[in-house]
Amino acid sequence: MKRSTLKLSSIATAVALVSVMASCQNKENTSTTAKKSESATVTSAEKIVYVNSDSLLTKYQYFKDLKTKLDAKSKTAQSDLASKQQAFQREVAQYQQQQNTLPADQRASTEERLARKQQELQAYSQNAGAALQNEQATEQEKLYDKVAEYLKTYAKSKGFKMVLTYSKGNSAILFADETLDVTSEVIVGLNEAYKTDKK
C-alpha cells in the first residue's frame, strides 16, 4: 500500500516537473517568437491596418437603415403580441366573472377553448421571435459580406496585406498606432458604395 502511494506521488512529482519545464520552454519560445514577429511587424507595419468596428457601425448608412428597419419590425411584432395577449386576458377575466353561473359542460368547453388559445398565443410568440431572430441573422450576414467584400477591394487597391478589426472591450488588439486606423476612409467608401447600390 505504501509502495503504491510512493510510486504515485513520485509519478505526480515527475509529471509536475515535466510540465513546469515545458511551460518554461514555451515561455522562452514565445519570447523569441515575439521578438521575431516584432521585427517583422516593424519592417512591414504599413501593410497592416485596422478598422474600428464601433465607429464603422454607427456611421455606416446601410447599418443605420438596417437597424431602423429591424427595430420597426420588432416594435410591430411586440405591439401585435401585446394586443393579442390583452384580448386573451379580457376573455379570461370575462370567463372568471361568469364561471359560477355557467353549467358544468359549458364551463369545461370554455376552459378547453381558453387553454387552446393560450397555447396558440405561446406558439405565435415563439414563432414571431424565431422569425425575427432569423431575419436579424440573415441581415447581419449580408452586412458582414458587404463590409468584407469592400475591404477586400480596398486593401488590394492600397497594397495592404491585412485589415484587422478593433472593438472596445472585445478585441484582440490591445494597442495600435493611430496612423494604422483607416476607419474614416473605409466609412466614406462604404457609404459611397451604398448610395450607388440604392440608385
Side-chain angles (χ1 to χ4, degrees):
M1 184 92 175
K2 281 182 182 175
R3 278 183 187 174
S4 64
T5 50
L6 258 168
K7 276 184 185 175
L8 282 172
S9 65
S10 63
I11 289 168
T13 310
V15 168
L17 279 169
V18 169
S19 64
V20 168
M21 286 166 65
S23 69
C24 287
Q25 197 172 357
N26 283 347
K27 277 183 187 170
E28 284 173 26
N29 287 347
T30 51
S31 64
T32 54
T33 52
K35 281 176 189 170
K36 279 179 193 170
S37 64
E38 208 175 281
S39 62
T41 309
V42 171
T43 55
S44 61
E46 71 283 354
K47 299 289 182 190
I48 296 172
V49 291
Y50 72 92
V51 170
N52 185 323
S53 57
D54 299 328
S55 299
L56 182 77
L57 292 179
T58 55
K59 293 173 183 171
Y60 183 22
Q61 195 56 49
Y62 173 75
F63 176 74
K64 287 196 237 180
D65 291 350
L66 181 62
K67 192 177 181 306
T68 306
K69 184 178 94 171
L70 290 173
D71 284 350
K73 280 196 172 187
S74 178
K75 275 181 188 172
T76 304
Q78 282 173 355
S79 64
D80 187 33
L81 181 64
S83 67
K84 283 179 189 294
Q85 283 173 335
Q86 283 168 1
F88 174 71
Q89 282 164 359
R90 278 196 299 272
E91 271 191 76
V92 171
Q94 192 178 4
Y95 166 69
Q96 284 171 342
Q97 284 174 349
Q98 298 171 345
Q99 68 180 10
N100 293 333
T101 59
L102 295 171
D105 61 334
Q106 199 176 343
R107 246 196 338 255
S109 66
T110 307
E111 282 171 10
E112 273 179 42
R113 183 176 58 78
L114 288 172
R116 267 199 313 274
K117 257 196 171 175
Q118 190 176 20
Q119 285 176 341
E120 284 166 11
L121 199 58
Q122 284 172 343
Y124 175 82
S125 172
Q126 286 171 351
N127 292 339
L132 271 171
Q133 279 182 335
N134 287 342
E135 188 175 356
Q136 202 171 7
T138 305
E139 293 295 351
Q140 280 176 342
E141 204 173 317
K142 279 184 197 172
L143 172 71
Y144 175 84
D145 289 345
K146 266 182 183 290
V147 174
E149 198 58 44
Y150 175 80
L151 285 174
K152 207 182 284 180
T153 53
Y154 170 79
K156 256 185 194 172
S157 70
K158 297 280 182 178
F160 299 136
K161 296 290 179 195
M162 191 181 288
V163 180
L164 302 173
T165 178
Y166 169 81
S167 177
K168 197 175 181 183
N170 185 23
S171 178
I173 304 170
L174 295 175
F175 170 77
D177 193 296
E178 286 180 14
T179 57
L180 302 176
D181 186 352
V182 293
T183 311
S184 301
E185 202 177 330
V186 168
I187 289 166
V188 169
L190 279 167
N191 283 333
E192 281 175 9
Y194 180 51
K195 271 182 199 169
T196 310
D197 288 347
K198 279 177 84 176
K199 284 177 184 176

